[in-house]
Amino acid sequence: QVQLVESGGGSVQPGGSLRLSCAASGFTFGSYSMSWVRQAPGKGLEWVSSIISGGGVTSYADSVKGRFTISRDNAKNTLYLQMNSLKPEDTALYYCAKGWYTTSVSGQGTQVTVSS
């Protein structure tokens, strides 16, 4: 079955950076678009970014555009999210998801906390 395992979260100060990873298994990773989704404390799921199967097209939520970069390594079945210039409002549980512009998550997520 589909398995998505997120990692790389942590606690950083405002302005810091983190790189999230998502290890995928149970499906042909290179054939699917993938997304990152987050859930801030007390709020609903928010779509963050998507990338097509080949990696040549990406899309970002306005709230992260210019600060976050989504990428993938199809040979390693791994999705990435490079997060720079982090803000306190980026604090959330981050999930990866199979599909384009989706908020359908199934993994455990990885916690990102941005605080001084």
Side-chain angles (χ1 to χ4, degrees):
Q1 71 275 22
V2 172
Q3 277 204 313
L4 299 170
V5 180
E6 302 91 348
S7 62
S11 295
V12 296
Q13 294 187 338
S17 298
L18 282 173
R19 188 194 196 201
L20 306 184
S21 298
C22 169
S25 62
F27 65 105
T28 307
F29 177 76
S31 296
Y32 289 88
S33 297
M34 296 292 295
S35 298
W36 284 100
V37 179
R38 68 185 181 185
Q39 185 167 29
K43 297 190 176 181
L45 292 168
E46 176 192 16
W47 171 79
V48 173
S49 181
S50 293
I51 186 168
I52 65 168
S53 58
V57 177
T58 58
S59 185
Y60 298 92
D62 287 344
S63 57
V64 306
K65 200 171 295 184
R67 301 186 298 121
F68 290 11
T69 302
I70 190 171
S71 63
R72 64 192 297 160
D73 186 335
N74 288 343
K76 294 182 178 179
N77 288 353
T78 303
L79 179 73
Y80 302 101
L81 186 68
Q82 177 66 43
M83 305 187 296
N84 298 328
S85 303
L86 282 161
K87 304 176 181 180
E89 51 264 43
D90 294 318
T91 294
L93 191 59
Y94 283 72
Y95 301 90
C96 60
K98 178 171 166 273
W100 178 265
Y101 198 68
T102 180
T103 56
S104 179
V105 300
S106 60
Q108 299 293 316
T110 186
Q111 178 67 41
V112 172
T113 302
V114 185
S115 173
S116 55

